[in-house]
Amino acid sequence: IGTRSNDTRRQTEVNKIYSTTNYSKFKSQTGNRVKNKGHVQYLTKSIDQENLLSAAPICVNEKFEIIDGQHRFEAACTLNLPIFYYIVPGLGINQTQRLNSKLKNWNAEDFMNSFANNGNQNYLAYRLFHEENIDIIDHNLAQVLLGGYTTYSGTHGQLFKDGKFVVKDMAKAIDRVNKLRDLHQQLKVIRTVPQRRECMYALLMVMNDKTYNHSRMLQKLAIHPKELLMVYNRRTDFLVELCNIYSYHSGREEKKTSINPRLLMYETEM
């Protein structure tokens, strides 16, 4: 007895699956994420062991631009295997970005390159800034600095993915990242990336204080036992200790401009 779940009369054909070894008919889409060579190699090895390409066809538009599956395409080409694909007319780079965003395949690097490669001036400036400072900041910090934010949030990240990121003040961002670099030279004792990121956020919070004096901070870091900072993992702990360092061996005049970590935390949350 048939059931509703297997009643063929209730089924509708949506897309036909095609196969071909004519690789030249397919095109890369301008603005699509940069191919990851390591991922192509991984897929090539996996497909060589068990070919499941027919179970995961790639998606192309009417121009045969690859919307989803460019890594599978490269792996199939390497192995000289047929490409399985289906066509969805009208899909462009915006749909590619949205599709991959929902599937959580794209990261900040992919969105940066996609919008930059399509000529978005904000993302071109962002990419240059990020590449020049990648040794001390990540994408979240780059967005905070260039976007003029006090801290990073999911809302900021979504704006970046939607192509709505705007560089607020490049000169100020360069000044702040250069100051972070000065301080990082004194804080190389912080070796792990997560700790360094939290420390950088704490430093930005300290620098947001109107009374902050960069030369003073550098002088204090030079004489303070920085090894103590290795034990911290949380931003708030770094902030308290950095404020203590800023007031380290302070004279009467310096104490008047000491920085209150609790006030900075409150202002950041507002």
Side-chain angles (χ1 to χ4, degrees):
I1 299 176
T3 64
R4 290 188 177 184
S5 61
N6 60 21
D7 189 346
T8 57
R9 292 173 298 178
R10 295 179 178 273
Q11 297 177 8
T12 302
E13 184 180 271
V14 179
N15 288 312
K16 291 184 178 180
I17 306 299
Y18 305 90
S19 68
T20 183
T21 54
N22 182 11
Y23 309 129
S24 62
K25 68 190 300 180
F26 298 95
K27 306 172 185 176
S28 295
Q29 188 181 41
T30 301
N32 205 341
R33 62 176 169 174
V34 177
K35 298 184 189 74
N36 186 309
K37 292 183 180 179
H39 189 45
V40 172
Q41 292 173 353
Y42 168 79
L43 286 177
T44 301
K45 183 177 180 180
S46 177
I47 294 169
D48 192 37
Q49 293 173 346
E50 184 177 11
N51 183 3
L52 298 175
L53 287 171
S54 61
I58 69 173
C59 176
V60 301
N61 60 19
E62 73 279 9
K63 300 176 184 177
F64 279 85
E65 294 176 327
I66 299 175
I67 305 300
D68 178 59
Q70 59 178 352
H71 291 90
R72 276 169 279 153
F73 174 80
E74 291 294 333
C77 291
T78 300
L79 295 169
N80 198 30
L81 294 172
I83 299 294
F84 292 84
Y85 66 96
Y86 61 96
I87 304 172
V88 181
L91 295 184
I93 187 59
N94 291 335
Q95 288 72 38
T96 300
Q97 293 165 345
R98 186 170 292 112
L99 173 66
N100 284 283
S101 175
K102 297 302 180 186
L103 293 175
K104 297 183 179 179
N105 288 332
W106 278 34
N107 55 30
E109 192 86 6
D110 298 320
F111 283 103
M112 173 189 74
N113 285 320
S114 176
F115 290 115
N117 290 342
N118 270 298
N120 187 305
Q121 293 300 312
N122 284 290
Y123 287 79
L124 285 166
Y126 175 95
R127 180 163 64 184
L128 181 60
F129 180 85
H130 178 260
E131 289 176 350
E132 289 178 344
N133 298 289
I134 197 171
D135 57 320
I136 63 168
I137 63 171
D138 59 9
H139 280 287
N140 290 5
L141 274 167
Q143 289 171 42
V144 167
L145 289 166
L146 288 172
Y149 312 138
T150 55
T151 188
Y152 180 83
S153 72
T155 301
H156 298 144
Q158 192 58 53
L159 285 172
F160 189 81
K161 293 177 181 179
D162 291 341
K164 298 177 181 178
F165 177 79
V166 175
V167 176
K168 186 175 182 179
D169 189 334
M170 177 60 79
K172 183 177 179 180
I174 291 174
D175 177 67
R176 296 179 84 195
V177 79
N178 285 339
K179 288 178 178 176
L180 284 178
R181 188 173 295 282
D182 290 341
L183 299 170
H184 180 255
Q185 295 300 314
Q186 296 281 358
L187 295 168
K188 285 186 175 179
V189 66
I190 301 173
R191 295 183 179 88
T192 67
V193 173
Q195 277 189 322
R196 184 179 69 194
R197 182 189 303 117
E198 293 305 303
C199 185
M200 288 293 180
Y201 273 121
L203 284 168
L204 282 177
M205 293 169 72
V206 173
M207 288 164 56
N208 282 337
D209 189 279
K210 294 179 180 179
T211 66
Y212 174 76
N213 183 299
H214 190 58
S215 297
R216 172 178 168 177
M217 187 56 143
L218 289 173
Q219 291 171 1
K220 299 298 181 180
L221 278 170
I223 62 175
H224 188 273
K226 294 178 290 297
E227 289 76 10
L228 296 177
L229 286 169
M230 292 180 66
V231 302
Y232 297 122
N233 293 301
R234 298 188 307 171
R235 189 179 312 177
T236 52
D237 293 332
F238 275 119
L239 178 60
V240 171
E241 186 58 31
L242 287 168
C243 287
N244 288 337
I245 291 173
Y246 192 73
S247 301
Y248 188 63
H249 285 184
S250 293
R252 182 175 298 178
E253 291 302 314
E254 281 188 335
K255 286 182 179 179
K256 293 179 182 179
T257 56
S258 294
I259 298 175
N260 187 329
R262 291 188 178 183
L263 183 60
L264 286 178
M265 283 185 271
Y266 174 78
E267 290 175 346
T268 301
E269 293 171 356
M270 292 297 289

